[in-house]
Amino acid sequence: MGYELRVVRESPLAFADLAKAIAPAGFELRGSDEIVIGHDGRAHQVARWTGAVVGEPGSDWQVAQLLRLSAALGARLVGEDGEVYRLRDGVMEVETGGSVAELGKFEEIIDAGPAAWTP
């Protein structure tokens, strides 16, 4: 299992609300637990439904898609260590312990596609 990012809302998210909210943002449900989005004619898993929306990104593209998904659900994207991911002025950022680091320009990351991180 990789590093988890969670979509966190103030009010609980029901499965029916999830299903309704994700389609207009371009996401689909595959089976009863996978949330996918298309790129280059293929569906790529971005998150899963476990009673909450959880992702284990393997690329900046997947983090960007999780940010889009969070916005579609009126939620925040939070890492397992409490860091908060957000989009500000077209730039993806992560805030940890009061400091903010830029991850890159959102549109450039989306355009680059789901190339996996390399160790």
Side-chain angles (χ1 to χ4, degrees):
M1 176 160 55
Y3 191 80
E4 289 187 344
L5 299 180
R6 295 189 169 273
V7 174
V8 178
R9 288 180 14 142
E10 295 300 318
S11 59
L13 180 65
F15 183 78
D17 295 332
L18 169 72
K20 238 188 296 184
I22 65 172
F27 295 93
E28 297 176 28
L29 283 171
R30 184 166 50 188
S32 62
D33 66 342
E34 288 185 350
I35 301 168
V36 300
I37 192 160
H39 180 80
D40 282 343
R42 291 183 43 220
H44 298 271
Q45 183 176 344
V46 173
R48 67 186 186 286
W49 172 254
T50 63
V53 177
V54 179
E56 293 179 25
S59 69
D60 288 343
W61 181 85
Q62 286 176 310
V63 175
Q65 295 296 353
L66 283 166
L67 276 170
R68 287 183 63 237
L69 182 57
S70 297
L73 296 171
R76 297 177 300 130
L77 184 61
V78 180
E80 50 185 68
D81 293 328
E83 70 278 14
V84 177
Y85 293 78
R86 65 176 169 251
L87 185 61
R88 184 169 51 176
D89 299 326
V91 176
M92 290 174 29
E93 300 178 333
V94 59
E95 181 178 349
T96 307
S99 61
V100 176
E102 290 186 359
L103 301 175
K105 293 182 180 179
F106 180 80
E107 289 302 325
E108 289 176 4
I109 291 169
I110 291 292
D111 291 344
W117 291 317
T118 53

